[in-house]
Amino acid sequence: MIKGFAHVALYTEQFEKTITFYKEAFGAEELGYFTTDRRGAWLGIGDSILEIFESERMPEGSFKHIALSCDNVDETYSKALLHGATKHVEPKNIELSLYEPRSLRIAFVKGINGEQIEFCEER
């Protein structure tokens, strides 16, 4: 039985800078470093793990974005921009009807590697 994601991996040519960005912008905690055929790191973000790999080129296949649940989309969005992210989709309210109606506040930035990062706040 699948319980959920164990972690999400991000490849970057800017290993140290990427770690610093996620620590400063989102309060990520360094969980550990490792080496396979390249350097790697695990960062704790809330209850999730972001795995960072140093790479000169991106491997085949990629996710469109990662989404981070947060308490305040507007503050998180501003903090990310302050630490080097770029604007992608400014904060806005949306209504979803999946299993039950939900009101969310969302925003997107692009991280320092061009990765899309979504912020979600349930209202």
Side-chain angles (χ1 to χ4, degrees), residues 4-119:
F5 289 102
H7 61 269
V8 174
L10 173 66
Y11 284 79
T12 179
E13 295 177 347
Q14 306 175 81
F15 187 71
E16 290 89 3
K17 190 174 180 179
T18 298
I19 292 167
T20 299
F21 170 72
Y22 278 89
K23 286 172 57 179
E24 291 178 352
F26 309 121
E29 176 187 355
E30 292 179 21
L31 300 178
Y33 291 83
F34 58 91
T35 302
T36 55
D37 59 337
R38 64 193 75 198
R39 292 189 297 169
W42 276 18
L43 302 178
I45 302 178
D47 293 335
S48 302
I49 294 174
L50 178 62
E51 187 175 43
I52 308 290
F53 282 102
E54 183 175 41
S55 179
E56 292 179 9
R57 64 180 184 82
M58 300 302 153
E60 290 184 25
S62 64
F63 289 98
K64 180 168 173 50
H65 67 269
I66 60 171
L68 302 175
S69 178
C70 61
D71 293 331
N72 188 312
V73 163
D74 297 88
E75 286 179 10
T76 306
Y77 179 81
S78 294
K79 187 174 180 182
L81 296 176
L82 179 68
H83 290 286
T86 57
K87 293 180 181 182
H88 188 54
V89 176
E90 293 191 8
K92 64 182 181 179
N93 296 321
I94 63 168
E95 300 294 325
L96 296 177
S97 293
L98 298 173
Y99 301 110
E100 59 186 56
R102 295 173 61 192
S103 295
L104 299 174
R105 184 144 179 90
I106 65 167
F108 287 81
V109 297
K110 288 194 177 180
I112 63 168
N113 302 288
E115 72 275 23
Q116 290 185 39
I117 305 165
E118 178 183 4
F119 309 118

